[in-house]
């Protein structure tokens, strides 16, 4: 995969509006960076040489990948500033303000040649109200819902699509395939999915009409999303489908074959909200909000999540710092800690530091990304319970959490200790999984990152001193508002073999339990069908604006 970006020459107009921001790393891997970051650069080469990686996706036995998200590839931004550029009716045209369609194709091609994927924001939920757009296209509510009161988005004032219309479904599914097959997009991030799924989204009692079963699910939207995702997976199996849904819709990322919606990932806005609210508290008060830091692990494996700290979540670095308590040095330390905690937490990653970030933060982000890629425990078992283990969950008085990230090999285990208190701990004891050596490989308080330099320079040998209900422990220095990360090397003894055997047995047992649970769940589904499933016996196939049934066994599992 090429790492030299000197050959990248693209029409500069696509970059002048801040429509994208590209981050190219020095490591030989690929995955994703995104965010509403406003830049003015003359060539894509200059953008790629900036630092920072935004999206990290990966699965077992694969390295994470790097990509770029484009959130303003259509003219909608200039037509509807209130909705932030997300609603558009020009579904088949990249905006001419940044260049021609051929320029956009060349941009995507050059990004692919550099090993960078392209993810587009796509809005099948709403469209703006303009006479030149889709509203009352033929003088009647052709694309929008028939009931005027229910057709208007309660927050944005845009119009909601009528998913009961075969023409609307054909139009949107064809458009998704268009961006994947004509412009070779690698993924679609669908915004505002909760406005599609819930009839009462943003509405009071009496302002919405229940479905035929008396509940608030939009059955037409459900069938549309299932059909959309199954068609895309049949035609473009590698395309990523990402849903931003801030509600509690269950199993959003389970397959259509299992009677779910079939998305690949869910945008985890809840994780971001909880973390930012926790960090916004004074460190003295954080003990009262400790659950906001740890609750995410209760649902981390319910979906395939993308964790986000992009510019759309935190704003610019200055805006991010303004959310945080303390001096400027403490604010900077907490920004580094937030990025490090996200990288250690199970789930795919998305962050977008400023293009003008200080050199020490730039070095921090670069080293953090390289550390992430170098250690399979941080991504290889992201979707399995056995890839994560709490060491210290309830140290709320100290504002400390400690946990392990694991693979099936004990020698790949990573120990992370995060201190969210404003004071350092000189001799902090933490339990460890086995006897052996523990070497600090990353510390957010390193002086080269602008920290105070409270680091653990020497390798720690585990002592037989019980702590955290574990036989062995180590004593470390914990920086204030900092994260320290250790590799774990078991002793070359019978204990190492015992640890390997224990891990493998644990993983095998957990997988067996999950398979049994899945079979039980399937049996229950067969015995008692929920009422909303009555309309899901067959997914429709779009053919020249008409629909014909498609048997479920033709849809492809995720």
């Amino acid at each position: 995969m090429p790492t030299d970006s000197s050959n990248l020459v693209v029409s500069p107009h696509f970059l002048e509006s801040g429509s994208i921001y590209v981050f190219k790393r020095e490591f030989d891997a690929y995955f994703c960076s995104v965010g509403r970051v406003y830049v003015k650069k003359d060539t894509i080469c200059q953008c790629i040489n900036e630092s920072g990686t935004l999206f990290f996706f990966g699965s077992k036995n694969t390295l994470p990948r790097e990509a770029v998200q484009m959130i303003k590839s259509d003219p909608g931004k200039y037509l509807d500033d209130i909705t932030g550029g997300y609603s558009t009716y020009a579904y088949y045209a990249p905006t001419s303000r940044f260049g021609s369609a051929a320029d956009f194709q060349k941009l995507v091609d050059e990004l692919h040649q550099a090993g960078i994927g392209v993810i587009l924001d796509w809005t099948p939920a709403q469209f703006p109200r303009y006479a030149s757009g889709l509203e009352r296209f033929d003088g009647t509510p052709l694309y929008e819902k028939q009931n005027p009161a229910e057709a208007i988005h309660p927050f944005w004032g845009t119009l909601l699509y009528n998913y009961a219309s075969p023409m609307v479904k054909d139009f949107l599914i064809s458009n998704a395939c268009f961006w994947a097959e004509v412009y070779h997009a690698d993924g679609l991030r669908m915004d505002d999915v909760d406005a599609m799924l819930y009839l009462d989204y943003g509405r009071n009692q009496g302002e919405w009409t229940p479905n035929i079963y008396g509940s608030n699910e939009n059955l037409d939207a459900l069938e549309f999303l299932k059909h959309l995702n199954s068609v895309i997976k049949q035609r473009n199996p590698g395309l990523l489908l990402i849903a931003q849904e801030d509600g509690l819709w269950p199993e959003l990322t389970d397959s259509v074959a299992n009677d779910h919606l079939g998305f690949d990932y869910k945008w985890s806005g809840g994780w971001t909200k909880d973390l930012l609210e926790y960090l916004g508290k004074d460190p003295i008060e954080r003990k009262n909000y400790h659950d906001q830091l740890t609750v995410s692990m209760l649902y981390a494996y319910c979906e395939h999540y993308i964790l986000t700290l992009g510019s759309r979540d935190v704003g610019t670095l200055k805006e991010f710092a303004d959310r945080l308590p303390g001096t400027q040095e403490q604010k900077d330390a907490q920004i580094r800690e937030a990025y490090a905690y996200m990288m250690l937490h199970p789930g795919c990653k998305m962050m977008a530091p400023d293009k003008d970030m200080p050199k020490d933060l730039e070095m921090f982000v670069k080293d953090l990304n390289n550390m992430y890629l170098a250690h399979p425990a941080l991504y290889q078992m992201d979707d399995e319970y056995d890839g994560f283990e709490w060491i210290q969950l309830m140290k709320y008085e100290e504002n400390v959490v400690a946990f392990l990230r694991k693979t099936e090999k004990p020698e790949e285990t990573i120990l992370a200790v995060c201190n969210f208190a404003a004071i350092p701990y000189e001799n902090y004891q933490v339990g460890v999984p086995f006897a052996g050596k523990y070497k600090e490989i990353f510390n957010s308080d390193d002086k080269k990152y602008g920290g105070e330099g409270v680091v653990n320079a020497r390798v720690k040998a585990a002592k037989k001193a019980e702590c955290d209900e574990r036989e062995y422990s180590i004593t470390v220095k914990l920086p204030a508002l900092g994260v320290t990360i250790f590799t774990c090397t078991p002793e070359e003894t019978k204990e190492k073999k015992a640890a390997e055997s224990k891990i493998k047995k644990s993983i095998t047992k957990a997988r067996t339990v999950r398979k049994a649970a899945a079979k039980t769940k399937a049996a229950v589904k067969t015995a008692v069908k929920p009422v909303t499933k009555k309309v899901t016996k067959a997914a429709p196939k779009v053919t020249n604006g008409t629909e014909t049934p498609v048997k479920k066994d033709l849809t492809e599992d995720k």
Side-chain angles (χ1 to χ4, degrees), residues 424-441:
Y425 295 102
E426 184 66 27
N427 295 293
Y428 190 86
Q429 188 180 15
V430 59
V432 293
F434 41 69
K437 295 181 178 180
Y438 294 79
K439 179 182 179 181
E440 184 177 85
I441 57 170

Side-chain angles (χ1 to χ4, degrees), residues 135-142 144:
E135 183 178 9
R136 299 186 67 85
F137 190 76
D138 63 350
T140 66
L142 193 64
E144 59 268 43

Side-chain angles (χ1 to χ4, degrees), residues 415-465:
L415 168 66
V417 189
C418 309
N419 178 19
F420 291 90
I423 57 172
Y425 295 102
E426 184 66 27
N427 295 293
Y428 190 86
Q429 188 180 15
V430 59
V432 293
F434 41 69
K437 295 181 178 180
Y438 294 79
K439 179 182 179 181
E440 184 177 85
I441 57 170
F442 190 85
N443 191 313
S444 66
D445 198 53
D446 197 304
K447 286 186 176 181
K448 65 182 178 180
Y449 305 141
E452 295 294 326
V454 180
V455 299
N456 297 275
R458 295 183 178 180
V459 174
K460 304 287 183 179
K463 296 181 179 180
K464 199 167 186 178

Side-chain angles (χ1 to χ4, degrees), residues 127 134-146 161-162 165 167-168:
F127 59 92
L134 300 178
E135 183 178 9
R136 299 186 67 85
F137 190 76
D138 63 350
T140 66
L142 193 64
Y143 286 88
E144 59 268 43
K145 288 187 175 182
Q146 303 295 305
Y161 280 105
N162 176 19
S165 166
M167 181 204 67
V168 169

Side-chain angles (χ1 to χ4, degrees), residues 36 38 70-89 121-123 126 128 156 158 191:
R36 191 177 309 176
Y38 291 84
M70 300 182 183
I71 62 174
K72 300 182 182 69
S73 58
D74 55 66
K77 173 191 174 191
Y78 293 90
L79 297 174
D80 193 357
D81 290 333
I82 295 176
T83 59
Y86 283 101
S87 61
T88 181
Y89 60 78
D121 259 27
W122 187 63
T123 54
Q126 53 175 298
W156 303 119
T158 51
D191 189 64

Side-chain angles (χ1 to χ4, degrees), residues 278-314:
Y278 176 82
L279 292 175
K281 305 298 181 183
D282 188 287
I284 296 176
E285 300 176 358
R286 285 178 181 169
K287 63 181 181 180
N288 300 319
Y289 301 91
H290 192 74
D291 58 335
Q292 285 187 284
L293 182 65
T294 60
V295 68
S296 57
M297 286 310 302
L298 295 177
Y299 60 81
Y301 301 104
C302 295
E303 305 280 5
H304 303 299
Y305 285 108
I306 295 174
L307 310 182
T308 71
L309 282 176
S311 57
R312 62 181 298 172
D313 305 299
V314 300

